[in-house]
């Protein structure tokens, strides 16, 4: 079976799983199987078949499993969002369509040679800084749930940090490919870029009042710096800098202090600041080993009040853990692990420095973002406001991650293409 036919077969299997997921929600709600569940699955499958057709044309030698993994994660997320609210599910579906469109456009525009992006590395760097600064602007910047991560332009609301993440990775891939030999020498003056990025991460922390966004951006930089130079000392020094900055932020920013306190002592204020954290833990515990089943979890009171605020964004993994149980929640994490495995394999197979760094950065960003949000929910680290890739409700996250997948497929296609 050819590479693209493997992808097609996997996507058909994803379509069947999607149909079963929607059918289980219908059964839980109405005790009958509706034709709607089949139609939703067919529409979903048709959308990904379009993505497959574009991939077959633009990247015929690319990894055959990344797109099916993406489809399965979006199917899980869309099914759970539909179970929580049909209106949000429709909006998420529209954003998935937009994401597939951007995915296709990215592949077609860069199919000849994506490495042309390296020539515009400084433009991408400036774009990343500009996007990160947008939420700080007084008119368009919007604060939601205590964090200033959003920009609102009329009816459109988006999170520019998601796109800034992609621009930052392109910039770092180009810059570190050019400077890695100099940086590997470890001279004191070469720590300048490290200090600049650290300063930018701290500014993001102060601007957004969210530790997760700063950790994600700085973690991407440290990971790509290590891949480029192989110097563990750089990573250790960077982590020390971030820990010091986070300690200062804890003392000076009330929201950061609140998040850390709820991480360490959530039961001290279960009806106040730590309510969301505690309810998320209760939801995970209520799922037990096998879960309650799609559509059978408890997320509202008898009066219709949400038990977990923002359950379809920050806490969707808690909802999945309740309805799928430990087995299902672990399976979802396994999907993310397989995605990361395929991404790092692409990085290892890449033939040039820019491609290696680009694939490594995109994959690490995907994996680290997953760890930050899931780790916050299960109290491994303080809770943050970032989304679970492809699963959480949110258009900017979906579109940005489709661009991420397109980038990995472009690198994979070049690495696997016959010489």
């Amino acid at each position: 079976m050819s590479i693209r036919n493997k992808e097609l077969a996997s996507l058909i299997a994803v379509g069947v799983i999607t149909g079963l997921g929607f059918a289980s929600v219908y059964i839980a709600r109405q005790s009958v199987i509706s034709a709607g569940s089949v139609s939703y699955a067919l529409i979903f499958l048709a959308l990904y078949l379009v993505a497959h057709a574009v991939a077959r044309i633009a990247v015929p030698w690319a990894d055959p499993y990344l797109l099916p993994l993406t489809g399965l994660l979006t199917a899980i997320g869309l099914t759970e969002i539909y179970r929580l609210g049909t209106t949000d599910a429709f909006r998420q579906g529209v954003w998935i369509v937009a994401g597939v469109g951007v995915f296709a456009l990215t592949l077609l525009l860069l199919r000849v040679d994506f490495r042309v992006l390296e020539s515009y590395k400084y433009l991408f760097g400036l774009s990343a800084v500009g996007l990160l600064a947008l939420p700080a602007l007084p008119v368009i910047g919007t604060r939601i749930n205590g964090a200033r991560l959003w920009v609102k332009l009329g009816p459109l609301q988006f999170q520019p940090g998601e796109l800034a993440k992609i621009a930052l990775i392109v910039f770092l891939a180009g810059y570190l490919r050019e400077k890695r030999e100099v940086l590997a020498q470890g001279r004191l003056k070469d720590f300048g870029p490290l200090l600049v990025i650290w300063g930018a991460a701290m500014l993001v922390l102060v601007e957004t009042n969210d530790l997760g966004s700063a950790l994600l951006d700085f973690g991407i930089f440290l990971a790509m710096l290590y891949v480029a130079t192989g110097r563990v000392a750089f990573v250790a020094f960077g982590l020390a800098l971030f820990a010091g900055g986070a300690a200062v932020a804890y003392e000076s920013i009330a929201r950061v202090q609140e998040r850390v306190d709820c991480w360490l002592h959530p039961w001290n204020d279960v009806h106040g600041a730590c309510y969301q954290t505690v309810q998320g833990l209760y939801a995970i515990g209520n799922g037990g080993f096998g879960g309650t089943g799609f559509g059978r979890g408890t997320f509202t009171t008898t009066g219709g009040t949400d038990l977990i605020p923002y359950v379809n964004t920050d806490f969707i993994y808690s909802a999945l853990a309740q309805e799928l149980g430990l087995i299902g929640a672990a399976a979802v994490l396994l999907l993310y692990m397989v995605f990361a495995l395929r991404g790092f394999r692409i990085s290892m197979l890449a033939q040039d420095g820019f491609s290696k760094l680009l694939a490594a950065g995109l994959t690490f960003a995907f994996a680290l973002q997953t760890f930050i949000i899931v780790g916050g929910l299960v109290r491994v680290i303080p809770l943050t406001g970032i989304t679970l890739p492809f699963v959480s409700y949110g258009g900017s996250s979906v579109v940005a991650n489709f661009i991420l997948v397109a980038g990995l497929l472009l690198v994979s296609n070049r690495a696997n293409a016959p010489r």
Side-chain angles (χ1 to χ4, degrees):
M1 185 180 291
S2 68
I3 292 177
R4 298 273 68 83
N5 286 339
K6 288 180 182 179
E7 181 180 86
L8 178 59
S10 300
L11 285 173
I12 292 173
V14 168
V16 173
I17 294 172
T18 305
L20 293 174
F22 275 105
S24 66
V25 173
Y26 269 102
I27 292 172
R29 285 182 171 180
Q30 306 171 12
S31 299
V32 295
I33 298 179
S34 170
S37 59
V38 179
S39 62
Y40 278 127
L42 290 176
I43 294 171
F44 190 86
L45 177 60
L47 180 63
Y48 272 91
L49 288 179
V50 171
H52 165 75
V54 175
R56 186 177 284 271
I57 296 170
V59 285
W61 302 100
D63 187 285
Y65 301 111
L66 284 181
L67 189 58
L69 285 169
T70 299
L72 186 53
L73 288 171
T74 50
I76 292 171
L78 188 60
T79 304
E80 187 63 27
I81 293 169
Y82 176 79
R83 177 260 176 275
L84 295 169
T86 55
T87 302
D88 286 342
F90 176 78
R91 293 172 181 166
Q92 184 76 348
V94 172
W95 281 113
I96 292 173
V97 172
V100 171
V102 173
F103 167 85
L105 187 63
T106 303
L107 290 184
L108 293 174
L109 288 178
L110 299 175
R111 59 181 295 193
V112 176
D113 193 355
F114 64 90
R115 294 179 301 173
V116 69
L117 297 176
E118 186 177 3
S119 302
Y120 302 96
K121 55 181 176 291
Y122 292 108
L123 180 59
F124 278 100
L126 291 174
S127 299
V129 173
L131 288 168
L132 289 173
L134 279 180
L137 298 180
V139 178
I140 60 175
T142 304
R143 188 183 301 274
I144 297 178
N145 196 24
R148 198 177 182 91
L149 298 170
W150 299 87
V151 166
K152 190 171 184 179
L153 297 172
L156 179 64
Q157 181 173 283
F158 67 98
Q159 195 171 343
E162 292 286 348
L163 296 175
K165 170 184 67 179
I166 305 297
L168 176 65
I169 292 169
V170 176
F171 163 70
L172 288 173
Y175 180 82
L176 292 173
R177 202 281 309 166
E178 181 182 352
K179 302 290 186 180
R180 63 180 178 180
E181 294 179 358
V182 176
L183 291 170
Q185 296 176 11
R187 296 175 299 185
L188 185 61
K189 66 177 183 178
D190 297 326
F191 280 89
L194 176 63
L195 295 174
V196 170
I197 299 294
W198 170 78
M202 292 302 103
L203 286 176
V204 170
L205 175 58
V206 173
E207 169 197 320
T208 63
N209 289 342
D210 188 72
L211 191 64
S213 300
L215 177 59
L216 177 61
D217 294 336
F218 195 62
I220 290 169
F221 171 71
L222 289 182
M224 295 183 69
L225 182 64
Y226 175 72
V227 172
T229 65
R231 298 294 298 272
V232 179
F234 281 10
V235 178
F237 182 62
L239 290 175
L241 281 176
F242 186 85
V248 173
Y250 174 79
E251 297 295 335
S252 57
I253 302 176
R255 175 178 165 79
V256 174
Q257 188 175 46
E258 178 184 292
R259 291 287 193 176
V260 174
D261 290 344
C262 288
W263 168 49
L264 297 174
H265 311 290
W267 312 109
N268 290 348
D269 193 10
V270 295
H271 297 295
C274 304
Y275 174 80
Q276 193 180 26
T277 300
V278 171
Q279 290 299 320
L281 293 172
Y282 279 140
I284 294 172
N286 190 46
F289 193 73
T292 61
F294 265 135
R296 299 183 183 278
T298 303
F299 302 111
T300 59
T301 64
T302 53
T305 304
D306 289 337
L307 288 172
I308 309 176
Y310 303 100
V311 65
N312 62 354
T313 54
D314 298 357
F315 280 76
I316 195 166
Y317 186 75
S318 296
L320 286 170
Q322 180 174 162
E323 298 198 335
L324 301 181
L326 177 63
I327 297 175
V332 171
L333 289 183
L334 184 61
L335 293 176
Y336 284 104
M337 293 173 65
V338 174
F339 189 103
L341 175 66
R342 303 303 298 185
F344 285 125
R345 181 177 181 273
I346 290 170
S347 178
M348 293 177 64
L349 292 175
Q351 301 298 318
D352 61 280
F354 177 74
S355 299
K356 283 182 178 293
L357 287 166
L358 181 63
L362 293 173
T363 304
F364 185 81
F366 187 87
L368 180 60
Q369 184 166 339
T370 303
F371 168 77
I372 290 173
I373 184 61
V374 175
L377 294 177
V378 299
R379 291 183 59 212
V380 175
I381 59 175
L383 184 65
T384 66
I386 62 176
T387 57
L388 186 62
F390 291 120
V391 175
S392 291
Y393 173 76
S396 50
S397 175
V398 168
V399 172
N401 282 302
F402 268 109
I403 296 174
L404 184 149
V405 174
L408 287 174
L409 290 179
L410 287 165
V411 176
S412 177
N413 182 68
R414 181 173 178 82
N416 295 334
R419 302 300 173 191

